[in-house]
């Protein structure tokens, strides 16, 4: 496995673990503090923006510059 793919995989795994801990802390805080469910509004907005960016990146045919390069 090339080093760049290994590092990318490692970064993705660490980021996913961090996001999991962040969401878990929001949920536990929401159960302990009344009104803390409002903390899910920024989390939902961030999730929506990330989802839209990924969907646009995957579905945009003009962004596939590297697909047309001869190898």
């Amino acid at each position: 496995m090339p080093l760049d793919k290994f590092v990318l995989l490692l970064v993705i795994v660490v980021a996913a673990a961090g996001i999991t801990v962040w969401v878990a802390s929001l949920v536990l805080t929401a159960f302990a503090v009344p009104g803390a469910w409002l903390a899910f509004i920024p989390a939902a907005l961030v999730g929506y923006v990330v989802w839209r960016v990924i969907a646009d990146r995957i579905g945009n045919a003009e962004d596939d510059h590297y697909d047309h390069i001869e190898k």
Side-chain angles (χ1 to χ4, degrees), residues 24-52:
S25 68
L26 284 176
V27 169
L28 291 175
T29 302
F31 284 130
V33 178
W37 287 103
L38 294 175
F40 281 109
I41 294 172
L45 289 174
V46 168
Y48 177 73
V49 168
V50 168
W51 178 264
R52 291 294 300 181

mmCIF file of all heavy atoms in Angstrom, residues 24-52:
data_model
loop_
_atom_site.group_PDB
_atom_site.id
_atom_site.type_symbol
_atom_site.label_atom_id
_atom_site.label_comp_id
_atom_site.label_asym_id
_atom_site.label_seq_id
_atom_site.Cartn_x
_atom_site.Cartn_y
_atom_site.Cartn_z
ATOM 1 N N ALA A 24 -21.191 11.969 20.568
ATOM 2 C CA ALA A 24 -21.541 11.304 21.830
ATOM 3 C C ALA A 24 -21.550 12.295 22.991
ATOM 4 O O ALA A 24 -22.430 12.238 23.856
ATOM 5 C CB ALA A 24 -20.564 10.172 22.110
ATOM 6 N N SER A 25 -20.599 13.218 23.001
ATOM 7 C CA SER A 25 -20.596 14.214 24.080
ATOM 8 C C SER A 25 -21.793 15.150 23.974
ATOM 9 O O SER A 25 -22.355 15.556 24.990
ATOM 10 C CB SER A 25 -19.293 15.005 24.081
ATOM 11 O OG SER A 25 -19.205 15.825 22.940
ATOM 12 N N LEU A 26 -22.208 15.478 22.745
ATOM 13 C CA LEU A 26 -23.418 16.300 22.580
ATOM 14 C C LEU A 26 -24.649 15.572 23.090
ATOM 15 O O LEU A 26 -25.498 16.169 23.763
ATOM 16 C CB LEU A 26 -23.615 16.658 21.103
ATOM 17 C CG LEU A 26 -22.723 17.743 20.521
ATOM 18 C CD1 LEU A 26 -23.009 17.892 19.024
ATOM 19 C CD2 LEU A 26 -22.947 19.053 21.223
ATOM 20 N N VAL A 27 -24.755 14.299 22.802
ATOM 21 C CA VAL A 27 -25.919 13.524 23.248
ATOM 22 C C VAL A 27 -25.930 13.408 24.768
ATOM 23 O O VAL A 27 -26.974 13.605 25.409
ATOM 24 C CB VAL A 27 -25.915 12.133 22.580
ATOM 25 C CG1 VAL A 27 -26.953 11.216 23.216
ATOM 26 C CG2 VAL A 27 -26.165 12.257 21.093
ATOM 27 N N LEU A 28 -24.795 13.104 25.365
ATOM 28 C CA LEU A 28 -24.745 12.982 26.829
ATOM 29 C C LEU A 28 -25.027 14.317 27.516
ATOM 30 O O LEU A 28 -25.694 14.364 28.546
ATOM 31 C CB LEU A 28 -23.387 12.435 27.259
ATOM 32 C CG LEU A 28 -23.137 10.975 26.881
ATOM 33 C CD1 LEU A 28 -21.727 10.563 27.252
ATOM 34 C CD2 LEU A 28 -24.151 10.070 27.540
ATOM 35 N N THR A 29 -24.564 15.395 26.936
ATOM 36 C CA THR A 29 -24.851 16.713 27.497
ATOM 37 C C THR A 29 -26.336 17.040 27.361
ATOM 38 O O THR A 29 -26.932 17.631 28.259
ATOM 39 C CB THR A 29 -24.015 17.790 26.787
ATOM 40 O OG1 THR A 29 -22.637 17.465 26.935
ATOM 41 C CG2 THR A 29 -24.284 19.161 27.366
ATOM 42 N N ALA A 30 -26.927 16.650 26.262
ATOM 43 C CA ALA A 30 -28.341 16.932 26.047
ATOM 44 C C ALA A 30 -29.218 16.202 27.057
ATOM 45 O O ALA A 30 -30.273 16.706 27.448
ATOM 46 C CB ALA A 30 -28.733 16.537 24.632
ATOM 47 N N PHE A 31 -28.781 15.016 27.478
ATOM 48 C CA PHE A 31 -29.553 14.310 28.496
ATOM 49 C C PHE A 31 -29.368 14.920 29.876
ATOM 50 O O PHE A 31 -30.270 14.885 30.705
ATOM 51 C CB PHE A 31 -29.154 12.829 28.544
ATOM 52 C CG PHE A 31 -29.714 12.026 27.413
ATOM 53 C CD1 PHE A 31 -28.884 11.215 26.659
ATOM 54 C CD2 PHE A 31 -31.053 12.084 27.081
ATOM 55 C CE1 PHE A 31 -29.381 10.469 25.610
ATOM 56 C CE2 PHE A 31 -31.567 11.349 26.036
ATOM 57 C CZ PHE A 31 -30.736 10.532 25.300
ATOM 58 N N ALA A 32 -28.215 15.502 30.140
ATOM 59 C CA ALA A 32 -27.915 16.035 31.469
ATOM 60 C C ALA A 32 -28.435 17.455 31.654
ATOM 61 O O ALA A 32 -28.834 17.829 32.762
ATOM 62 C CB ALA A 32 -26.411 16.000 31.726
ATOM 63 N N VAL A 33 -28.426 18.269 30.609
ATOM 64 C CA VAL A 33 -28.787 19.678 30.719
ATOM 65 C C VAL A 33 -30.044 19.940 29.899
ATOM 66 O O VAL A 33 -30.061 19.675 28.696
ATOM 67 C CB VAL A 33 -27.633 20.572 30.205
ATOM 68 C CG1 VAL A 33 -28.012 22.031 30.277
ATOM 69 C CG2 VAL A 33 -26.361 20.295 30.969
ATOM 70 N N PRO A 34 -31.085 20.450 30.533
ATOM 71 C CA PRO A 34 -32.281 20.772 29.755
ATOM 72 C C PRO A 34 -31.991 21.896 28.741
ATOM 73 O O PRO A 34 -31.275 22.838 29.036
ATOM 74 C CB PRO A 34 -33.286 21.255 30.798
ATOM 75 C CG PRO A 34 -32.706 20.921 32.114
ATOM 76 C CD PRO A 34 -31.244 20.699 31.931
ATOM 77 N N GLY A 35 -32.514 21.763 27.575
ATOM 78 C CA GLY A 35 -32.305 22.776 26.541
ATOM 79 C C GLY A 35 -31.024 22.593 25.758
ATOM 80 O O GLY A 35 -30.724 23.369 24.866
ATOM 81 N N ALA A 36 -30.260 21.570 26.101
ATOM 82 C CA ALA A 36 -28.997 21.343 25.397
ATOM 83 C C ALA A 36 -29.219 20.712 24.021
ATOM 84 O O ALA A 36 -28.272 20.558 23.255
ATOM 85 C CB ALA A 36 -28.077 20.467 26.233
ATOM 86 N N TRP A 37 -30.457 20.354 23.726
ATOM 87 C CA TRP A 37 -30.748 19.815 22.391
ATOM 88 C C TRP A 37 -30.503 20.868 21.325
ATOM 89 O O TRP A 37 -30.374 20.548 20.141
ATOM 90 C CB TRP A 37 -32.193 19.312 22.314
ATOM 91 C CG TRP A 37 -32.361 18.038 23.069
ATOM 92 C CD1 TRP A 37 -32.929 17.884 24.295
ATOM 93 C CD2 TRP A 37 -31.931 16.741 22.669
ATOM 94 N NE1 TRP A 37 -32.876 16.576 24.674
ATOM 95 C CE2 TRP A 37 -32.276 15.853 23.697
ATOM 96 C CE3 TRP A 37 -31.282 16.243 21.545
ATOM 97 C CZ2 TRP A 37 -31.993 14.489 23.625
ATOM 98 C CZ3 TRP A 37 -31.001 14.889 21.482
ATOM 99 C CH2 TRP A 37 -31.354 14.031 22.507
ATOM 100 N N LEU A 38 -30.426 22.137 21.739
ATOM 101 C CA LEU A 38 -30.129 23.199 20.782
ATOM 102 C C LEU A 38 -28.707 23.071 20.222
ATOM 103 O O LEU A 38 -28.398 23.632 19.185
ATOM 104 C CB LEU A 38 -30.304 24.566 21.438
ATOM 105 C CG LEU A 38 -31.734 24.921 21.837
ATOM 106 C CD1 LEU A 38 -31.756 26.247 22.582
ATOM 107 C CD2 LEU A 38 -32.629 24.981 20.617
ATOM 108 N N ALA A 39 -27.863 22.317 20.903
ATOM 109 C CA ALA A 39 -26.508 22.095 20.404
ATOM 110 C C ALA A 39 -26.511 21.238 19.145
ATOM 111 O O ALA A 39 -25.544 21.236 18.387
ATOM 112 C CB ALA A 39 -25.653 21.433 21.478
ATOM 113 N N PHE A 40 -27.596 20.519 18.908
ATOM 114 C CA PHE A 40 -27.674 19.694 17.703
ATOM 115 C C PHE A 40 -27.936 20.519 16.450
ATOM 116 O O PHE A 40 -27.723 20.031 15.347
ATOM 117 C CB PHE A 40 -28.763 18.633 17.850
ATOM 118 C CG PHE A 40 -28.307 17.469 18.671
ATOM 119 C CD1 PHE A 40 -28.814 17.261 19.931
ATOM 120 C CD2 PHE A 40 -27.355 16.599 18.180
ATOM 121 C CE1 PHE A 40 -28.388 16.199 20.692
ATOM 122 C CE2 PHE A 40 -26.915 15.533 18.935
ATOM 123 C CZ PHE A 40 -27.438 15.333 20.197
ATOM 124 N N ILE A 41 -28.391 21.741 16.604
ATOM 125 C CA ILE A 41 -28.634 22.590 15.431
ATOM 126 C C ILE A 41 -27.325 22.876 14.684
ATOM 127 O O ILE A 41 -27.253 22.643 13.475
ATOM 128 C CB ILE A 41 -29.378 23.882 15.830
ATOM 129 C CG1 ILE A 41 -30.785 23.528 16.314
ATOM 130 C CG2 ILE A 41 -29.437 24.858 14.661
ATOM 131 C CD1 ILE A 41 -31.544 24.680 16.901
ATOM 132 N N PRO A 42 -26.261 23.350 15.348
ATOM 133 C CA PRO A 42 -25.003 23.532 14.613
ATOM 134 C C PRO A 42 -24.428 22.211 14.092
ATOM 135 O O PRO A 42 -23.878 22.160 12.986
ATOM 136 C CB PRO A 42 -24.047 24.150 15.628
ATOM 137 C CG PRO A 42 -24.890 24.654 16.729
ATOM 138 C CD PRO A 42 -26.145 23.879 16.707
ATOM 139 N N ALA A 43 -24.576 21.139 14.855
ATOM 140 C CA ALA A 43 -24.075 19.840 14.392
ATOM 141 C C ALA A 43 -24.824 19.387 13.144
ATOM 142 O O ALA A 43 -24.225 18.869 12.200
ATOM 143 C CB ALA A 43 -24.204 18.806 15.497
ATOM 144 N N ALA A 44 -26.125 19.602 13.117
ATOM 145 C CA ALA A 44 -26.913 19.224 11.944
ATOM 146 C C ALA A 44 -26.549 20.091 10.742
ATOM 147 O O ALA A 44 -26.478 19.593 9.605
ATOM 148 C CB ALA A 44 -28.401 19.351 12.257
ATOM 149 N N LEU A 45 -26.309 21.368 10.966
ATOM 150 C CA LEU A 45 -25.916 22.250 9.865
ATOM 151 C C LEU A 45 -24.562 21.853 9.284
ATOM 152 O O LEU A 45 -24.381 21.829 8.066
ATOM 153 C CB LEU A 45 -25.888 23.711 10.335
ATOM 154 C CG LEU A 45 -27.249 24.338 10.606
ATOM 155 C CD1 LEU A 45 -27.070 25.729 11.210
ATOM 156 C CD2 LEU A 45 -28.068 24.423 9.341
ATOM 157 N N VAL A 46 -23.608 21.528 10.150
ATOM 158 C CA VAL A 46 -22.296 21.080 9.677
ATOM 159 C C VAL A 46 -22.438 19.776 8.895
ATOM 160 O O VAL A 46 -21.848 19.613 7.823
ATOM 161 C CB VAL A 46 -21.315 20.921 10.857
ATOM 162 C CG1 VAL A 46 -20.062 20.186 10.429
ATOM 163 C CG2 VAL A 46 -20.972 22.279 11.436
ATOM 164 N N GLY A 47 -23.229 18.859 9.408
ATOM 165 C CA GLY A 47 -23.459 17.600 8.706
ATOM 166 C C GLY A 47 -24.105 17.806 7.349
ATOM 167 O O GLY A 47 -23.745 17.153 6.366
ATOM 168 N N TYR A 48 -25.059 18.729 7.278
ATOM 169 C CA TYR A 48 -25.725 19.017 6.003
ATOM 170 C C TYR A 48 -24.748 19.613 4.991
ATOM 171 O O TYR A 48 -24.744 19.221 3.819
ATOM 172 C CB TYR A 48 -26.893 19.976 6.234
ATOM 173 C CG TYR A 48 -27.581 20.388 4.951
ATOM 174 C CD1 TYR A 48 -28.387 19.498 4.262
ATOM 175 C CD2 TYR A 48 -27.408 21.667 4.431
ATOM 176 C CE1 TYR A 48 -29.015 19.867 3.080
ATOM 177 C CE2 TYR A 48 -28.026 22.042 3.252
ATOM 178 C CZ TYR A 48 -28.828 21.144 2.591
ATOM 179 O OH TYR A 48 -29.439 21.509 1.421
ATOM 180 N N VAL A 49 -23.909 20.544 5.428
ATOM 181 C CA VAL A 49 -22.941 21.161 4.516
ATOM 182 C C VAL A 49 -21.944 20.117 4.015
ATOM 183 O O VAL A 49 -21.638 20.068 2.817
ATOM 184 C CB VAL A 49 -22.216 22.339 5.212
ATOM 185 C CG1 VAL A 49 -21.024 22.806 4.406
ATOM 186 C CG2 VAL A 49 -23.182 23.495 5.438
ATOM 187 N N VAL A 50 -21.462 19.260 4.905
ATOM 188 C CA VAL A 50 -20.528 18.212 4.491
ATOM 189 C C VAL A 50 -21.198 17.272 3.507
ATOM 190 O O VAL A 50 -20.608 16.894 2.487
ATOM 191 C CB VAL A 50 -19.988 17.453 5.727
ATOM 192 C CG1 VAL A 50 -19.257 16.189 5.325
ATOM 193 C CG2 VAL A 50 -19.099 18.352 6.541
ATOM 194 N N TRP A 51 -22.436 16.915 3.778
ATOM 195 C CA TRP A 51 -23.178 16.034 2.871
ATOM 196 C C TRP A 51 -23.345 16.665 1.491
ATOM 197 O O TRP A 51 -23.144 16.000 0.472
ATOM 198 C CB TRP A 51 -24.544 15.721 3.476
ATOM 199 C CG TRP A 51 -25.387 14.862 2.596
ATOM 200 C CD1 TRP A 51 -26.351 15.262 1.716
ATOM 201 C CD2 TRP A 51 -25.321 13.453 2.471
ATOM 202 N NE1 TRP A 51 -26.889 14.188 1.078
ATOM 203 C CE2 TRP A 51 -26.271 13.057 1.521
ATOM 204 C CE3 TRP A 51 -24.544 12.477 3.088
ATOM 205 C CZ2 TRP A 51 -26.468 11.728 1.174
ATOM 206 C CZ3 TRP A 51 -24.759 11.158 2.729
ATOM 207 C CH2 TRP A 51 -25.702 10.797 1.792
ATOM 208 N N ARG A 52 -23.678 17.942 1.432
ATOM 209 C CA ARG A 52 -23.864 18.623 0.139
ATOM 210 C C ARG A 52 -22.552 18.731 -0.629
ATOM 211 O O ARG A 52 -22.516 18.585 -1.848
ATOM 212 C CB ARG A 52 -24.461 20.013 0.349
ATOM 213 C CG ARG A 52 -25.887 20.014 0.836
ATOM 214 C CD ARG A 52 -26.821 19.459 -0.170
ATOM 215 N NE ARG A 52 -26.731 20.291 -1.366
ATOM 216 C CZ ARG A 52 -27.422 20.116 -2.465
ATOM 217 N NH1 ARG A 52 -28.260 19.136 -2.537
ATOM 218 N NH2 ARG A 52 -27.259 20.910 -3.500
#
